[in-house]
Amino acid sequence: MRAVLIRGKSDDKQTLGTLELFDDAGKELLEVKTLELDWQNNERRQSCIPKGTYNVTPRKSAKYGSHFLVNDVPGRDMILIHHGNYHTDILGCILVGQAHTDINGDGYRDVTSSKATMKKLLNAAPEGFTLTIK
């Protein structure tokens, strides 16, 4: 199973994107919106991660419940794909949601329905996937 995250609009706080999940035959299974921090030279807890290809595995924690771990990120560790809505919920990880909308009126687009979207992604890829970030 593989996924492609295509980064789009980026500003002083965050980067919007779209993640598409494909089965082994190349059929698209799911498309979700993503929210990451903006690029800050891969600074820990301040930046999105570098473009590239990563192995993503399932993980559980008390804070996020079931989610994913992005493995072998150069110079970084504990990069997660987890639920959350706002750029203030991110410390270098990737949030997933159904749509990009300014939920809280701060002028920045957030991701909606994050917990439900995370559940869909976990159900579609229970064993994890290979993630390519473009």
Side-chain angles (χ1 to χ4, degrees), residues 36-97:
E36 300 175 87
L37 294 176
D38 64 318
W39 177 250
Q40 295 292 326
N41 297 313
N42 200 31
E43 286 291 321
R44 184 178 300 271
R45 302 171 72 95
Q46 304 294 318
S47 177
C48 59
I49 62 175
K51 294 177 182 176
T53 299
Y54 304 97
N55 185 37
V56 176
T57 53
R59 181 177 184 275
K60 288 185 181 183
S61 73
K63 183 173 184 177
Y64 297 116
S66 295
H67 56 278
F68 292 103
L69 174 67
V70 182
N71 297 282
D72 302 319
V73 177
R76 305 276 291 276
D77 62 358
M78 294 305 295
I79 303 300
L80 309 177
I81 299 174
H82 64 82
H83 65 81
N85 299 102
Y86 314 106
H87 67 84
T88 54
D89 294 332
I90 313 170
L91 293 174
C93 297
I94 302 168
L95 303 183
V96 294

Side-chain angles (χ1 to χ4, degrees), residues 8-21:
K9 184 180 182 299
S10 187
D11 56 35
D12 63 322
K13 300 255 188 242
Q14 63 190 28
T15 301
L16 307 177
T18 300
L19 185 146
E20 298 170 314
L21 182 69

